[in-house]
Amino acid sequence: MNNQFAVIGLGLFGSALCEELQLQNAEVLAIDIDESKTRQIATLCNHVIVADATDEATVAELGLANFDIVFVAIGDNLETSILTTLVLKEAGVKKVWVKARDKFHAKILQKVGADKVINPEWDMGRRVAQSMLDNRLFDYLELGHEMVLTEFVIGLQQNGRTLADLNLLQQNDFQLLAIKRGEVLHNVLTGKMELQLGDILILAGNKHAIDHWLDTL
Ligand code: ATP
Ligand code: ATP
């Protein structure tokens, strides 16, 4: 489990990262070269520091190599983003995740050793399209403690795929309870079972795990 993070660059994206990580009780170090940016985030985040992340000595001093993931959220300044990524990888940071402005930027970041490149506009565009295609009949029936019961209708994209294809039987945090096909409720489920258009999957378990699975469809 990852639990110690640093975020470099406190624009809109970096600040949102810090806020969410902090809300989830992770250890987050927020870094920006601009003091006014660090001041704005100080109320949301426990550890905030003004520093230049392209400086090798600073990176060593902050011990960034010991963090689980260091996220570079410097979007607009290509040179700074690339240089920071390079310095972090050379310092021995295991996982450097970087926000890219476009495909060209993403390609260079991969070349200099970024472990994951994120393009928020592209990713979000795809995600929104997925929500537009969402096949759930109802949102959720909340069962408490983030547990939910929900239904999902098989659409054209999943038609003919098996339960094994969709990774439905080996999930740890939620379960496929049954499949409603017409008037019949199937509750003996095997990996080989092929889904048909209009089948209704009945799922129960952790809400985030179910959402995560839906995102993979
Ligand atoms: P968003 O769209 O999420 O607001 P952005 O991609 O437009 O972000 P910027 O607004 O440029 O990114 O924010 C990047 C942040 O990175 C700025 O707050 C800037 O001060 C900071 N930054 C720039 N260079 C460095 C550096 N060398 N070290 C640390 N932080 C830096
Ligand atoms: P019974 O439970 O007795 O079979 P029913 O067939 O009327 O009753 P459901 O199967 O729950 O009840 O749903 C009625 C129909 O409406 C189904 O064919 C279902 O696929 C369709 N349906 C429900 N919600 C949606 C939706 N959001 N989009 C498309 N079709 C939907």
Side-chain angles (χ1 to χ4, degrees), residues 27 76 83 108 143 149 215:
E27 283 285 316
D76 279 353
L83 189 55
I108 300 172
L143 303 173
L149 183 73
D215 283 346

Side-chain angles (χ1 to χ4, degrees), residues 9-13 32-34 37 51-53 73-76 80 99:
L10 305 174
L12 213 52
F13 188 87
D32 202 290
I33 199 168
D34 179 351
K37 292 290 177 72
D52 179 356
I74 304 169
D76 279 353
T80 310
K99 172 169 107 97

Side-chain angles (χ1 to χ4, degrees), residues 120-135 157-158 214-215 217:
E121 278 81 14
W122 175 260
D123 293 347
M124 200 60 196
R126 295 194 59 160
R127 189 160 291 210
V128 171
Q130 279 165 2
S131 335
M132 290 167 74
L133 297 166
D134 199 344
N135 295 334
Q157 277 178 315
Q158 301 87 31
L214 288 169
D215 283 346
L217 291 181

Side-chain angles (χ1 to χ4, degrees), residues 137 180 182-183 200:
L137 291 186
K180 189 179 169 207
E183 309 254 307
I200 297 172

